[in-house]
Amino acid sequence: AQSVAQPEDQVNVAEGNPLTVKCTYSVSGNPYLFWYVQYPNRGLQFLLKYITGDNLVKGSYGFEAEFNKSQTSFHLKKPSALVSDSALYFCAVSRTGTASKLTFGTGTRLQVTL
Amino acid sequence: GAVVSQHPSRVICKSGTSVKIECRSLDFQATTMFWYRQFPKQSLMLMATSNEGSKATYEQGVEKDKFLINHASLTLSTLTVTSAHPEDSSFYICSARASNPGVATEAFFGQGTRLTVV
């Protein structure tokens, strides 16, 4: 069985400050890890992924995430938050293979204020 | 990135009627598509995995006779909510992962369908 934990329901950060949204995972074998963002009443937009290679992954809109195998973590980060980053963020894991289903975390609401 | 189109984006139907939701991969082939349900302020719950040319695989607790899934081609999957009731009101999202070698491994999501049963 595979699972994802996002321990924070909400993260609050001031615009211009760095942000971190936490994610830990559990999966047998090598993981595929993903971050998605969801705006109200919309589907999910892909931000970034880790498949193999460099542990630091850069994605859309200035976001990046660091894969840490020993801590089974894949935290999402951004050096300088924007108010427009406010949204719901989901971490997801799957086993290798494109037909493998994604398992999502419970989501973390990011609130960026002026 | 690849595009997944989901239609309709919003539907209101009367209790007891059936509603069909379409999910299309526009620029890639998807052997497998996934259907999710999302309750307010909650995560996505996988309902079923739709396989082209074969029966869908339903997650535990999901009624296959209630939520009919058809994956008629490599670019189209449909979810039909049969005899809908108010408790079926929810946000339904489809996703697809490319089956072509060399195409991105991430899943692409449709825009979602807000179903309201009155």
Side-chain angles (χ1 to χ4, degrees), chain B residues 31-50:
Chain B
T31 308
T32 305
M33 291 186 175
F34 304 89
W35 287 95
Y36 295 86
R37 183 173 178 177
Q38 186 179 31
F39 294 97
K41 298 184 180 181
Q42 292 191 29
S43 187
L44 283 72
M45 181 191 79
L46 180 65
M47 298 173 66
T49 303
S50 171

PDB file of all heavy atoms in Angstrom, chain B residues 31-50:
ATOM      1  N   THR B  31      -4.065   4.917 -22.142  1.00  0.00           N
ATOM      2  CA  THR B  31      -4.614   3.583 -21.928  1.00  0.00           C
ATOM      3  C   THR B  31      -5.411   3.554 -20.628  1.00  0.00           C
ATOM      4  O   THR B  31      -6.389   2.831 -20.508  1.00  0.00           O
ATOM      5  CB  THR B  31      -3.476   2.556 -21.828  1.00  0.00           C
ATOM      6  OG1 THR B  31      -2.622   2.705 -22.955  1.00  0.00           O
ATOM      7  CG2 THR B  31      -4.024   1.146 -21.797  1.00  0.00           C
ATOM      8  N   THR B  32      -4.978   4.347 -19.675  1.00  0.00           N
ATOM      9  CA  THR B  32      -5.582   4.347 -18.353  1.00  0.00           C
ATOM     10  C   THR B  32      -6.016   5.749 -17.971  1.00  0.00           C
ATOM     11  O   THR B  32      -5.258   6.692 -18.101  1.00  0.00           O
ATOM     12  CB  THR B  32      -4.574   3.821 -17.306  1.00  0.00           C
ATOM     13  OG1 THR B  32      -4.100   2.544 -17.719  1.00  0.00           O
ATOM     14  CG2 THR B  32      -5.233   3.702 -15.940  1.00  0.00           C
ATOM     15  N   MET B  33      -7.243   5.846 -17.514  1.00  0.00           N
ATOM     16  CA  MET B  33      -7.739   7.100 -16.963  1.00  0.00           C
ATOM     17  C   MET B  33      -8.272   6.828 -15.566  1.00  0.00           C
ATOM     18  O   MET B  33      -8.647   5.701 -15.251  1.00  0.00           O
ATOM     19  CB  MET B  33      -8.827   7.702 -17.842  1.00  0.00           C
ATOM     20  CG  MET B  33      -8.311   8.204 -19.190  1.00  0.00           C
ATOM     21  SD  MET B  33      -9.623   9.047 -20.101  1.00  0.00           S
ATOM     22  CE  MET B  33      -8.716   9.632 -21.529  1.00  0.00           C
ATOM     23  N   PHE B  34      -8.299   7.852 -14.757  1.00  0.00           N
ATOM     24  CA  PHE B  34      -8.702   7.707 -13.360  1.00  0.00           C
ATOM     25  C   PHE B  34      -9.842   8.675 -13.058  1.00  0.00           C
ATOM     26  O   PHE B  34      -9.851   9.809 -13.522  1.00  0.00           O
ATOM     27  CB  PHE B  34      -7.527   8.001 -12.426  1.00  0.00           C
ATOM     28  CG  PHE B  34      -6.312   7.162 -12.686  1.00  0.00           C
ATOM     29  CD1 PHE B  34      -5.354   7.592 -13.591  1.00  0.00           C
ATOM     30  CD2 PHE B  34      -6.145   5.946 -12.055  1.00  0.00           C
ATOM     31  CE1 PHE B  34      -4.225   6.812 -13.845  1.00  0.00           C
ATOM     32  CE2 PHE B  34      -5.022   5.165 -12.304  1.00  0.00           C
ATOM     33  CZ  PHE B  34      -4.063   5.603 -13.202  1.00  0.00           C
ATOM     34  N   TRP B  35     -10.771   8.206 -12.259  1.00  0.00           N
ATOM     35  CA  TRP B  35     -11.875   9.056 -11.834  1.00  0.00           C
ATOM     36  C   TRP B  35     -11.806   9.266 -10.328  1.00  0.00           C
ATOM     37  O   TRP B  35     -11.683   8.306  -9.563  1.00  0.00           O
ATOM     38  CB  TRP B  35     -13.219   8.440 -12.212  1.00  0.00           C
ATOM     39  CG  TRP B  35     -13.493   8.518 -13.677  1.00  0.00           C
ATOM     40  CD1 TRP B  35     -13.255   7.565 -14.617  1.00  0.00           C
ATOM     41  CD2 TRP B  35     -14.034   9.637 -14.379  1.00  0.00           C
ATOM     42  NE1 TRP B  35     -13.617   8.021 -15.866  1.00  0.00           N
ATOM     43  CE2 TRP B  35     -14.103   9.300 -15.743  1.00  0.00           C
ATOM     44  CE3 TRP B  35     -14.476  10.913 -13.981  1.00  0.00           C
ATOM     45  CZ2 TRP B  35     -14.592  10.163 -16.712  1.00  0.00           C
ATOM     46  CZ3 TRP B  35     -14.968  11.780 -14.954  1.00  0.00           C
ATOM     47  CH2 TRP B  35     -15.022  11.402 -16.302  1.00  0.00           C
ATOM     48  N   TYR B  36     -11.877  10.544  -9.937  1.00  0.00           N
ATOM     49  CA  TYR B  36     -11.802  10.919  -8.536  1.00  0.00           C
ATOM     50  C   TYR B  36     -13.074  11.666  -8.133  1.00  0.00           C
ATOM     51  O   TYR B  36     -13.729  12.298  -8.946  1.00  0.00           O
ATOM     52  CB  TYR B  36     -10.605  11.837  -8.282  1.00  0.00           C
ATOM     53  CG  TYR B  36      -9.257  11.218  -8.514  1.00  0.00           C
ATOM     54  CD1 TYR B  36      -8.689  11.210  -9.778  1.00  0.00           C
ATOM     55  CD2 TYR B  36      -8.542  10.666  -7.466  1.00  0.00           C
ATOM     56  CE1 TYR B  36      -7.435  10.659 -10.000  1.00  0.00           C
ATOM     57  CE2 TYR B  36      -7.289  10.115  -7.673  1.00  0.00           C
ATOM     58  CZ  TYR B  36      -6.746  10.122  -8.941  1.00  0.00           C
ATOM     59  OH  TYR B  36      -5.505   9.573  -9.153  1.00  0.00           O
ATOM     60  N   ARG B  37     -13.312  11.614  -6.846  1.00  0.00           N
ATOM     61  CA  ARG B  37     -14.379  12.408  -6.271  1.00  0.00           C
ATOM     62  C   ARG B  37     -13.763  13.243  -5.159  1.00  0.00           C
ATOM     63  O   ARG B  37     -12.922  12.745  -4.393  1.00  0.00           O
ATOM     64  CB  ARG B  37     -15.467  11.479  -5.717  1.00  0.00           C
ATOM     65  CG  ARG B  37     -16.668  12.181  -5.162  1.00  0.00           C
ATOM     66  CD  ARG B  37     -17.740  11.167  -4.816  1.00  0.00           C
ATOM     67  NE  ARG B  37     -18.898  11.840  -4.236  1.00  0.00           N
ATOM     68  CZ  ARG B  37     -20.015  11.236  -3.887  1.00  0.00           C
ATOM     69  NH1 ARG B  37     -20.141   9.916  -4.061  1.00  0.00           N
ATOM     70  NH2 ARG B  37     -21.006  11.912  -3.371  1.00  0.00           N
ATOM     71  N   GLN B  38     -14.165  14.489  -5.098  1.00  0.00           N
ATOM     72  CA  GLN B  38     -13.607  15.380  -4.085  1.00  0.00           C
ATOM     73  C   GLN B  38     -14.731  16.034  -3.310  1.00  0.00           C
ATOM     74  O   GLN B  38     -15.570  16.728  -3.885  1.00  0.00           O
ATOM     75  CB  GLN B  38     -12.711  16.436  -4.720  1.00  0.00           C
ATOM     76  CG  GLN B  38     -11.974  17.300  -3.711  1.00  0.00           C
ATOM     77  CD  GLN B  38     -11.071  18.321  -4.375  1.00  0.00           C
ATOM     78  OE1 GLN B  38     -11.354  18.801  -5.466  1.00  0.00           O
ATOM     79  NE2 GLN B  38      -9.982  18.672  -3.712  1.00  0.00           N
ATOM     80  N   PHE B  39     -14.744  15.810  -2.004  1.00  0.00           N
ATOM     81  CA  PHE B  39     -15.711  16.456  -1.141  1.00  0.00           C
ATOM     82  C   PHE B  39     -15.140  17.800  -0.701  1.00  0.00           C
ATOM     83  O   PHE B  39     -13.921  17.997  -0.720  1.00  0.00           O
ATOM     84  CB  PHE B  39     -16.025  15.571   0.050  1.00  0.00           C
ATOM     85  CG  PHE B  39     -16.731  14.311  -0.329  1.00  0.00           C
ATOM     86  CD1 PHE B  39     -16.046  13.125  -0.494  1.00  0.00           C
ATOM     87  CD2 PHE B  39     -18.107  14.312  -0.547  1.00  0.00           C
ATOM     88  CE1 PHE B  39     -16.693  11.966  -0.874  1.00  0.00           C
ATOM     89  CE2 PHE B  39     -18.763  13.152  -0.919  1.00  0.00           C
ATOM     90  CZ  PHE B  39     -18.056  11.977  -1.085  1.00  0.00           C
ATOM     91  N   PRO B  40     -16.015  18.707  -0.284  1.00  0.00           N
ATOM     92  CA  PRO B  40     -15.543  20.045   0.101  1.00  0.00           C
ATOM     93  C   PRO B  40     -14.414  19.988   1.121  1.00  0.00           C
ATOM     94  O   PRO B  40     -14.507  19.278   2.121  1.00  0.00           O
ATOM     95  CB  PRO B  40     -16.798  20.698   0.683  1.00  0.00           C
ATOM     96  CG  PRO B  40     -17.926  20.009   0.007  1.00  0.00           C
ATOM     97  CD  PRO B  40     -17.479  18.583  -0.181  1.00  0.00           C
ATOM     98  N   LYS B  41     -13.371  20.708   0.827  1.00  0.00           N
ATOM     99  CA  LYS B  41     -12.212  20.853   1.713  1.00  0.00           C
ATOM    100  C   LYS B  41     -11.566  19.504   2.043  1.00  0.00           C
ATOM    101  O   LYS B  41     -10.985  19.331   3.111  1.00  0.00           O
ATOM    102  CB  LYS B  41     -12.619  21.585   3.004  1.00  0.00           C
ATOM    103  CG  LYS B  41     -13.136  22.988   2.755  1.00  0.00           C
ATOM    104  CD  LYS B  41     -13.449  23.728   4.033  1.00  0.00           C
ATOM    105  CE  LYS B  41     -13.952  25.133   3.718  1.00  0.00           C
ATOM    106  NZ  LYS B  41     -14.258  25.905   4.941  1.00  0.00           N
ATOM    107  N   GLN B  42     -11.679  18.573   1.114  1.00  0.00           N
ATOM    108  CA  GLN B  42     -11.039  17.277   1.326  1.00  0.00           C
ATOM    109  C   GLN B  42     -10.183  16.898   0.130  1.00  0.00           C
ATOM    110  O   GLN B  42     -10.198  17.564  -0.905  1.00  0.00           O
ATOM    111  CB  GLN B  42     -12.096  16.203   1.576  1.00  0.00           C
ATOM    112  CG  GLN B  42     -12.826  16.366   2.887  1.00  0.00           C
ATOM    113  CD  GLN B  42     -13.660  15.148   3.221  1.00  0.00           C
ATOM    114  OE1 GLN B  42     -13.334  14.031   2.817  1.00  0.00           O
ATOM    115  NE2 GLN B  42     -14.735  15.348   3.958  1.00  0.00           N
ATOM    116  N   SER B  43      -9.446  15.819   0.301  1.00  0.00           N
ATOM    117  CA  SER B  43      -8.573  15.382  -0.765  1.00  0.00           C
ATOM    118  C   SER B  43      -9.354  14.649  -1.847  1.00  0.00           C
ATOM    119  O   SER B  43     -10.565  14.478  -1.753  1.00  0.00           O
ATOM    120  CB  SER B  43      -7.493  14.460  -0.195  1.00  0.00           C
ATOM    121  OG  SER B  43      -6.536  14.158  -1.180  1.00  0.00           O
ATOM    122  N   LEU B  44      -8.642  14.227  -2.850  1.00  0.00           N
ATOM    123  CA  LEU B  44      -9.259  13.463  -3.930  1.00  0.00           C
ATOM    124  C   LEU B  44      -9.366  12.003  -3.521  1.00  0.00           C
ATOM    125  O   LEU B  44      -8.402  11.399  -3.063  1.00  0.00           O
ATOM    126  CB  LEU B  44      -8.422  13.560  -5.198  1.00  0.00           C
ATOM    127  CG  LEU B  44      -8.529  14.855  -5.996  1.00  0.00           C
ATOM    128  CD1 LEU B  44      -7.834  15.993  -5.296  1.00  0.00           C
ATOM    129  CD2 LEU B  44      -7.948  14.660  -7.391  1.00  0.00           C
ATOM    130  N   MET B  45     -10.540  11.441  -3.727  1.00  0.00           N
ATOM    131  CA  MET B  45     -10.753  10.040  -3.428  1.00  0.00           C
ATOM    132  C   MET B  45     -10.834   9.293  -4.757  1.00  0.00           C
ATOM    133  O   MET B  45     -11.720   9.577  -5.575  1.00  0.00           O
ATOM    134  CB  MET B  45     -12.031   9.848  -2.640  1.00  0.00           C
ATOM    135  CG  MET B  45     -12.308   8.395  -2.272  1.00  0.00           C
ATOM    136  SD  MET B  45     -13.967   8.157  -1.635  1.00  0.00           S
ATOM    137  CE  MET B  45     -14.910   8.134  -3.154  1.00  0.00           C
ATOM    138  N   LEU B  46      -9.933   8.369  -4.981  1.00  0.00           N
ATOM    139  CA  LEU B  46      -9.972   7.605  -6.210  1.00  0.00           C
ATOM    140  C   LEU B  46     -11.203   6.702  -6.210  1.00  0.00           C
ATOM    141  O   LEU B  46     -11.414   5.927  -5.271  1.00  0.00           O
ATOM    142  CB  LEU B  46      -8.703   6.763  -6.364  1.00  0.00           C
ATOM    143  CG  LEU B  46      -8.623   5.901  -7.623  1.00  0.00           C
ATOM    144  CD1 LEU B  46      -8.561   6.778  -8.874  1.00  0.00           C
ATOM    145  CD2 LEU B  46      -7.409   4.981  -7.565  1.00  0.00           C
ATOM    146  N   MET B  47     -11.998   6.811  -7.270  1.00  0.00           N
ATOM    147  CA  MET B  47     -13.188   5.984  -7.385  1.00  0.00           C
ATOM    148  C   MET B  47     -12.894   4.723  -8.181  1.00  0.00           C
ATOM    149  O   MET B  47     -13.272   3.621  -7.803  1.00  0.00           O
ATOM    150  CB  MET B  47     -14.301   6.763  -8.083  1.00  0.00           C
ATOM    151  CG  MET B  47     -14.752   8.002  -7.338  1.00  0.00           C
ATOM    152  SD  MET B  47     -15.918   8.943  -8.320  1.00  0.00           S
ATOM    153  CE  MET B  47     -17.288   7.822  -8.384  1.00  0.00           C
ATOM    154  N   ALA B  48     -12.235   4.928  -9.322  1.00  0.00           N
ATOM    155  CA  ALA B  48     -12.013   3.798 -10.214  1.00  0.00           C
ATOM    156  C   ALA B  48     -10.920   4.116 -11.215  1.00  0.00           C
ATOM    157  O   ALA B  48     -10.629   5.271 -11.497  1.00  0.00           O
ATOM    158  CB  ALA B  48     -13.297   3.450 -10.951  1.00  0.00           C
ATOM    159  N   THR B  49     -10.341   3.053 -11.713  1.00  0.00           N
ATOM    160  CA  THR B  49      -9.352   3.141 -12.784  1.00  0.00           C
ATOM    161  C   THR B  49      -9.998   2.617 -14.046  1.00  0.00           C
ATOM    162  O   THR B  49     -10.517   1.491 -14.071  1.00  0.00           O
ATOM    163  CB  THR B  49      -8.110   2.311 -12.436  1.00  0.00           C
ATOM    164  OG1 THR B  49      -7.582   2.784 -11.195  1.00  0.00           O
ATOM    165  CG2 THR B  49      -7.062   2.422 -13.518  1.00  0.00           C
ATOM    166  N   SER B  50      -9.977   3.436 -15.060  1.00  0.00           N
ATOM    167  CA  SER B  50     -10.635   3.118 -16.319  1.00  0.00           C
ATOM    168  C   SER B  50      -9.613   2.603 -17.322  1.00  0.00           C
ATOM    169  O   SER B  50      -8.633   3.288 -17.607  1.00  0.00           O
ATOM    170  CB  SER B  50     -11.301   4.393 -16.847  1.00  0.00           C
ATOM    171  OG  SER B  50     -11.778   4.231 -18.158  1.00  0.00           O
TER     172      SER B  50
END
